[in-house]
Amino acid sequence: CHTSRMATPKGKELAQNLPREELTHLILRLLQAWNEPLSHFNQHMEHHQELSDDSLSKAKQISNMVHELKTGVEKSMGIISNSLNGMASSEAAGLSISNEANLMSDSDFIHCFRRDSNKVQSYLRILKCRIMPENSC
Amino acid sequence: MKQRFISSVQIISLLSLTTVCLSGQSFPGKPKIIRCRSLEKETFSCWWKPGSDGGLPTNYSLFYSKDSEEKIYECPDYRTSGPNSCYFDKKHTNHRTTYNITVMATNEIGSNSSDPQYVDVTCIVQPDSPVDLSLETKTAAGITYLCAKWFPPPLANVSSNWHAYHYELRLKPEEEEEWETIPVGVQTQYEVMRLNAGLKYGVQVRCMLDCGEWSEWSPERQIQIPSGQSPPEKPAIIKCRSPEKETFTCWWKPGSDGGHPTNYTLLYSKEGEEQIYECPDYRTAGPNSCYFDKKHTSFWTIYNITVKATNKMGSNISDPHYVDVTYIVQPDPPVNVTLELKKPINRKPYLVLTWFPPPLADVRSGWLTLEYELRLKPEEGEEWETIFVGQQTQYKMFSLNPGKKYIVQIHCKPDHHGSWSEWSSEKYIQIPSDFRVKDMIVWIIVGVLSSFICLIMSWTMVLKGYRMIAFILPPVPGPKIKGIDTHLLETGKSEELLSALDCHGFPPTSDCEELLIEYLEVEDSEDQQLMQSHNNGHPSKNTQMTSKETDSDSGRGSCDSPSLLSEKCRESRTLPSKLPAQDVRDVHENNAGKRGWETQCMASSEEKALPFNTAGTKSSTWPAAQLPNIHPSIFAYHSTVDAHKITLSTTNVSVAPVLEGNEEKHQSQYFTTETLCEENLEKQREMENMHSKNDQSTIQVKQNRLNEKSSFLNAKLMDYVEVHKVRQDEEPAVLLKHKENSGKIEKYTVPGTSKEYTKVSTVVDHNILVLMPESRAQHTPVSQEPAKETSQNLQQGQVEKNMSYCLTAPNECKREASGSEYMDPSSFMPAFK
């Protein structure tokens, strides 16, 4: 996976030990890393016409969701300017990452996406329960 | 002496022997049967060895007998099997029989026979070898056995029920030459010990019938004796599970250990790394397992896990197992399942089920999110009802039946890829059936009241049943005609009826003819058309179409003794269009109202009736069948002297309600429509309407129905109506007095009415009675005067329609003086068609 290189905590304690901002950044970086590969994947799928229409629409939906999620996280965490700086440097890295993503096979792509989405979900949950512990935590 | 005797004998025998020897010829020697063999079980052969032939050519013949039969057969075939043999082919070979065989050698001098040989064909057959030989090695207590199993040869035609197979086994190690033979007996399996481990052995087995020969050896089977020192079998990894998404455990299943204690090691590597690690903990999770604690558990990485089995002889590695811990989470079941019964005010009580996530799962930090599902079933039930609850840890149950016992269980799973936990232990629920006292009291009161009411009702029914019934459903009065016997009418013939009615002149005499003056001539065609139109309009009801005939009849109907149906009637189809409807209704009971008018031609009346069909079709027309039933008496005739127009306000009859009540027999309204007697009758007055019993409420209407079936009601219902007055104005009318009070009667003067009774020939317009004038003096033109009074009663709706018909009719109606005052009931019959 193209995101394998990112240093993400691989366990609960590790994730909990991360300070909030760092975790947030991490999440955002992950999401960012997937934005472009997803859209690229969609185009790729359309051309190939292997998948049914349902799958295609689903894929589009997913990439939209990722984008929205990213925006949402940014907004909710009040991160605006900081991310810009962060983003600038990571964009370059992002490009190369995207390139890598393009080289993956479809099944690997999906596998990696599944894993990373699970990661993001877990991190977000940890964040949520840290910030708002009363909410079903 | 003795000695001399003996010596002489000796000399003689010597001499004879010498003679024999010198001659060189003697009887043959005794042959000997060597053996008998069966090669294919279907046939067999016997060979013998000849004895000396005594110097002369000897003939050998074989004789045999079967079992204990006495018949002796000779050998069928001496050639096939060679010299000195006998071949028994299929035909001659019987299994299960014992052959007694002897060979006889014959030459010129004499013969000699061998000893008999008993041959059982089954025994001489060589059996097939045993089949399906299987070998197995077993190791027990350090000793290895070889277990050999086989099956007896399949039998073709021979059943060896009484023959048992004996078996023999032989084996030898692969490299050696000599076989070791072991007798086995009758069993089909055998265990061999004393085998050298590590060697390969070959095994064979053969069998024999107790009386026969050994079979050939079965094909050789080989087996390797385990040396007890082999590397272990490959283990296999069963599953890996994480209970709380922080640690995980893997279990494996060992293979056979190859005879030596085997060691198992688990090795793993992580995705992206090349280093191989060994399981950190073999104990915590039990035998044949490996427990990875928190430190060694990484998420979102794929582990490559293998198990290695090692023993003295070698090692064996299992297939690799790839696992990502994120997806193998299976939590423990929820705990602390509690029930609470809540009883809100003004609402049904409900149950709240609460539980806690399993202790190990860290839900608080959000690391692991669980979803719950519970299942429910009544205690005696069989199927569970599964309810998905989501992430909440409580559930409210509203829909349980009070008093019943339920079993509930909960389980959970991580919200993303993972598996469901086990079900929690069963929890029993029972909602106390609470019985509100209030409700019960209400029900009790209701029950008591209703039973009370029922009692009362039944009492009243019992005591005053009849009256009640009468009250509710008043009986329909029958016609009251004196002198008419209803039964007679029903059953009797017209003559009888008429005689009963004291009719004279049936058919009517020529008196009628006088009445013919000034009758309206109604054209047949018109009439008929009219009739037909009527008919069309009211097909069902118009049996009375024939009523037209009655018109004619009424005029001279009596003359003609019209039957309504009679053709004569038809001719004059005067339709007294105005058929007063109603009126008579009240016939019932006191029938005051009945005016029976005879309708000369019923038909006419019927015709009129047609339009009047009231609501109920019910009675429909006069069914022909009914005619006989018609109670005669309907006609009350009034003898009208000069009938001008007699308007009868039938209304007074009141109609309505009364009639209904009468059930009884159909009171058909009888309207007797008289046929118009042209002479006087201008109007026809409708005779009673038949009351039809049908519970119609429309009173009048019914009456008008000419069609009514039993127009003729009970005699009792019919009544004479006294003519009160006859008005001889421009609107002559006849006033009929009701015998019984009933309504008002319009008064009309009828000129010349001296008599009390007037025969009404027809009823027109519902209100207008056309009476038949006794004296022909007056012929009043038929005019119609609608009776006002009647109008109301009359109809109701339908009647009016009917009226319309009638209205036209009168013009066409013929008036006929009805000479006969009597209506011939039988005439009605045909009228109704």
Side-chain angles (χ1 to χ4, degrees), chain B residues 607-675:
Chain B
E607 254 186 284
K608 303 168 195 174
L610 290 179
F612 299 116
N613 285 330
T614 52
T617 43
K618 50 178 192 125
S619 35
S620 56
T621 54
W622 311 78
Q626 292 190 0
L627 287 177
N629 297 337
I630 296 172
H631 307 291
S633 61
I634 304 177
F635 324 127
Y637 20 80
H638 307 265
S639 51
T640 53
V641 180
D642 306 310
H644 283 291
K645 226 176 11 180
I646 300 175
T647 315
L648 182 72
S649 60
T650 56
T651 57
N652 40 14
V653 188
S654 77
V655 261
V658 184
L659 290 183
E660 307 279 336
N662 302 334
E663 46 340 350
E664 294 157 21
K665 25 295 230 18
H666 304 276
Q667 306 272 351
S668 46
Q669 313 171 340
Y670 19 76
F671 40 89
T672 47
T673 51
E674 307 85 342
T675 54

Side-chain angles (χ1 to χ4, degrees), chain B residues 160-261:
Chain B
S160 63
N161 287 340
W162 56 89
H163 295 294
Y165 282 108
H166 285 262
Y167 298 97
E168 208 174 58
L169 185 143
R170 70 177 186 188
L171 49 79
K172 73 173 176 72
E174 200 176 8
E175 300 86 16
E176 293 190 26
E177 299 287 340
E178 289 201 8
W179 289 93
E180 183 190 346
T181 310
I182 306 167
V184 173
V186 296
Q187 297 164 10
T188 57
Q189 61 173 15
Y190 191 70
E191 278 180 8
V192 186
M193 294 187 262
R194 303 175 277 109
L195 293 172
N196 296 331
L199 293 181
K200 205 169 187 181
Y201 279 83
V203 179
Q204 281 182 322
V205 71
R206 70 175 179 180
C207 64
M208 173 186 84
L209 281 171
D210 51 2
C211 64
E213 295 194 16
W214 280 111
S215 69
E216 295 296 332
W217 287 105
S218 68
E220 184 178 343
R221 290 261 189 268
Q222 297 198 327
I223 188 159
Q224 170 77 38
I225 308 297
S227 58
Q229 296 191 5
S230 71
E233 255 183 22
K234 199 156 83 167
I237 295 171
I238 309 169
K239 67 171 182 178
C240 297
R241 281 286 179 270
S242 168
E244 79 289 66
K245 205 177 167 187
E246 291 170 37
T247 65
F248 73 104
T249 320
C250 281
W251 291 269
W252 68 84
K253 179 183 164 199
S256 77
D257 61 357
H260 290 275

Side-chain angles (χ1 to χ4, degrees), chain B residues 315-332:
Chain B
S315 63
N316 216 334
I317 299 186
S318 70
D319 294 330
H321 190 244
Y322 299 97
V323 60
D324 187 337
V325 189
T326 333
Y327 307 131
I328 57 166
V329 181
Q330 184 187 25
D332 294 329

Side-chain angles (χ1 to χ4, degrees), chain A residues 9-13 16 111 114-115 118-119 121-123 125-126 129 137, chain B residues 245-246 271 294 299-300 302 326-327 362 364-367 369 415-417:
Chain A
K10 300 259 164 95
K12 179 178 99 170
E13 279 77 15
Q16 280 177 330
H111 161 80
R114 182 198 193 206
R115 166 193 291 177
N118 196 306
K119 255 190 213 176
Q121 185 188 31
S122 303
Y123 297 152
R125 284 235 173 86
I126 291 176
C129 284
C137 279
Chain B
K245 205 177 167 187
E246 291 170 37
E271 177 186 349
K294 283 189 195 178
F299 293 89
W300 304 299
I302 296 181
T326 333
Y327 307 131
D362 185 4
R364 292 205 55 220
S365 66
W367 176 244
T369 315
D415 65 333
H416 62 85
H417 330 100

